[in-house]
Amino acid sequence: MLPNTGKLAGCTVFITGASRGIGKAIALKAAKDGANIVIAAKTTHAHPKLPGTIYTAAEEIEAVGGKALPCVVDVRDEQQINDAVDKAVKKFGGIDILVNNASAISLTNTLETSTKRVDLMMNVNTRGTYLTSKACIPYLKKSKVAHILNLSPPLNLNPVWFKQHCAYTIAKYGMSMCVLGMAEEFKGEIAVNALWPKTAIHTAAMDMLGGSGIESQCRKVDIIADAAYSIFRKPKSFTGNFIIDENILKEEGIKNFDIYAVKPGHPLIPDFFLDEYPEPITKKMESQGAVPEVKEEKLQPQPKPRSGAVEETFKIVKESLSDDVVKATQAVYLFELSGEDGGTWFLDLKSKGGNAGYGEPSDRADVVMSMSTEDFVKMFSGKLKPTMAFMSGRLKIKGNMALAIKLEKLMNQMSAKL
């Protein structure tokens, strides 16, 4: 962990979405130096699945040595942003650091993303970041510290990051484009940078997206808090950078990243928008350079599955089915497989006792998965993580993502038999 230096003592840090997760972790790290934290978030009452409010965050901040100002702010509402900025300046005398952390996510394709969801992502991620920055800039200009930090990714125009969740990517890249523009516009006055994690970070929101058990493949929020703290200590001339958490902490001399893992030694999910994957995954671009293909490191070459391997897999899967599995899953999966032994296959975990085999299911599929037969066999035998296959473009998923994640858990249970 990166030690506190006391450098942020007396600084006022305005953080959107600071009632929980990454925003709160950054707040607590700064608070340990004795910073003033403006908690600009909309949660005033605890959500059943997302614990934490602006008031509980304020208590935690003050408990570690900081001063807190909880403000009810929905970043879609310009008046609420401006009111919070006015309160911050009135209470603390100015603003030294702005963290644009508030974000909305929907990993859905174009036809499955409702207009309401598109508007939410654009208004929270891009517009909210822009308006909050605009409101804070007059005060940041007067600060000796003067940092804006957006929790957004490097601008990577590889189509693989657009094709499955175009609206979300546009909304997040809007935050990154604010960095690109404002860093240049306010050069010499305010440092404007972006920070993004190399791997998935465990938060309550990640639990909702990925389901229980996802945490073992994640790092703790502490890694983002330490990386942000490292950025805040840099001069105003450090601007226009798209920083990856692990990289900046390596520069700080940190060598052991297991301290940040929820489950040290467990394989980690690489985050979106990065064309590099943590070891033991290596990157191999296809000849056109458009879609990255993940290649697993192996001690010895794996033989290609023999003819009938898919049929054999489904036979074993069918033997593993039970009423309990069906009751726990309640979904129909369709597999469109290309290559040897391919075609359309199904896994029915809705009807009594379940069913699996070649052809179309009797009920409409909740999830459609397209991939090669080789990758299908690897996935069911535990040699290829579905998450990794999806993020690298080798697996295409249409339909209910939550049910797709349920299948991954089921695969983990079955892999011992395959």
Side-chain angles (χ1 to χ4, degrees), residues 245-267:
D245 57 356
E246 187 177 301
N247 297 350
I248 197 166
L249 291 175
K250 279 179 180 173
E251 289 172 17
E252 291 278 5
I254 289 175
K255 294 182 174 73
N256 176 22
F257 285 88
D258 266 356
I259 56 171
Y260 296 115
V262 173
K263 189 175 178 182
H266 199 279

Side-chain angles (χ1 to χ4, degrees), residues 2-13 26 28-37 65 96-97 143-147 191 226 228-238 252:
L2 198 65
N4 277 71
T5 61
K7 195 168 179 183
L8 301 185
C11 283
T12 299
V13 188
I26 293 171
L28 290 170
K29 182 72 179 177
K32 284 174 187 171
D33 267 9
N36 310 316
I37 310 295
D96 299 289
I97 296 169
S143 169
K144 289 178 183 174
V145 180
H147 271 271
D226 280 3
Y229 184 79
S230 172
I231 293 163
F232 300 153
R233 293 187 308 171
K234 294 187 180 293
K236 294 178 188 180
S237 56
F238 182 80
E252 291 278 5

Side-chain angles (χ1 to χ4, degrees), residues 59-77:
E59 286 169 13
E60 289 182 58
I61 285 159
E62 295 192 337
V64 297
K67 289 180 182 170
L69 175 63
C71 295
V72 180
V73 177
D74 181 336
V75 295
R76 292 174 292 178
D77 187 325

Side-chain angles (χ1 to χ4, degrees), residues 285-291:
M285 295 304 284
E286 287 184 344
S287 57
Q288 296 302 311
V291 183

Side-chain angles (χ1 to χ4, degrees), residues 331-335 365-369 397-401 403-404:
V332 177
Y333 301 92
L334 186 70
F335 301 91
D366 299 290
V367 182
V368 179
M369 297 185 168
I397 301 175
K398 292 178 189 169
N400 189 318
M401 284 299 289
L403 293 176

Side-chain angles (χ1 to χ4, degrees), residues 150-155 171-181 194 242:
N150 294 354
L151 272 294
S152 65
L155 288 164
K172 284 309 281 188
Y173 280 17
M175 294 175 73
S176 299
M177 290 170 88
C178 286
V179 170
L180 200 65
F242 292 89

